[in-house]
Amino acid sequence: MASLARARHTKAMQDKRFMTTGDTIKFGNHPEFAWSLMLDGQHRLAAGVDSGSSFIIGVAAGIDHEAQQYTDTGRPRKVHETLSLNGEQNAGKLETLSRWVYRLEHEGTVRKHGGGRDSLLVYELTDFIQENPILRDCVTVSRATYRRFKGAVNMLTLGCVWWYIARAHHTYPALADEYFARITDGTGLGAKDPVYLLRERLHSLSTMKATAKPSPHQQFCLLIEVFNAWTEGRTMRRLPSIAIDNPLPKVTHKAAITRS
């Protein structure tokens, strides 16, 4: 945790986004030593050395050394709390989905981070959300589809699918909306329509145990493959098999018909 705090301060300083909040560098006297001990601020000072940055900050001296055990015991404000203060709706889901989408954009992966939150700083994630306002639409659409097939595929995977399609072309957000609406309502689908086959798969997945389901990556790839077949006007007898290490498919640009 100590090295993570130092690394985050260093990056914030390098990005010129380090903020002084009024917290001081604290020194205290220990009864067994003749010199002062630093009680708080080690990571900020070390980050200044690592980044080659300077900053102005207050210093408090003469503090009882036992005060260290009460320093930094408060919980840091989480990103979704900052988003809520900024007036965002569904702030918790917006934060989590934005983390997944950020990894999709920068790492090409659709998966849980594996044992905790990623290393994104608050300003990095909030900047990403402000730069990509369609993330709010992403939350709305993926939530509605998740509710229809709760237990089949998680909302975060669905959100990554919608985002991936919507970002493929400036006209594709509407196409992504229609695809998700077709998945949700299922009206007018023939037995060989790829969306019909996908809906059947989702219904079966909703009854399966979590350990027996395909990974988020596999589900993501399947949903993109079905989208490609649907928008190109192709039929299917069965859904394609997706391997655990399947590369991310590209979104088609061969729309066969004009869709409403």
Side-chain angles (χ1 to χ4, degrees), residues 22-84:
D23 291 337
T24 59
I25 303 294
K26 301 177 180 65
F27 293 91
N29 299 316
H30 193 285
E32 297 181 6
F33 301 100
W35 56 86
S36 294
L37 300 175
M38 183 179 292
L39 304 180
D40 184 41
Q42 297 94 324
H43 304 320
R44 284 169 284 170
L45 292 180
V49 174
D50 293 344
S51 64
S53 302
S54 60
F55 55 93
I56 298 174
I57 195 166
V59 175
I63 298 172
D64 192 316
H65 76 283
E66 292 184 357
Q68 188 173 39
Q69 63 183 306
Y70 304 106
T71 301
D72 287 341
T73 57
R75 177 178 62 82
R77 180 173 291 158
K78 295 182 179 179
V79 174
H80 72 264
E81 293 170 333
T82 298
L83 293 173
S84 292

Side-chain angles (χ1 to χ4, degrees), residues 38 58 72 148-149 172 175 224 232 239 241:
M38 183 179 292
D72 287 341
R148 178 65 181 82
F149 297 98
Y172 271 32
L175 197 56
I224 297 300
E232 290 173 6
L239 293 175
S241 178

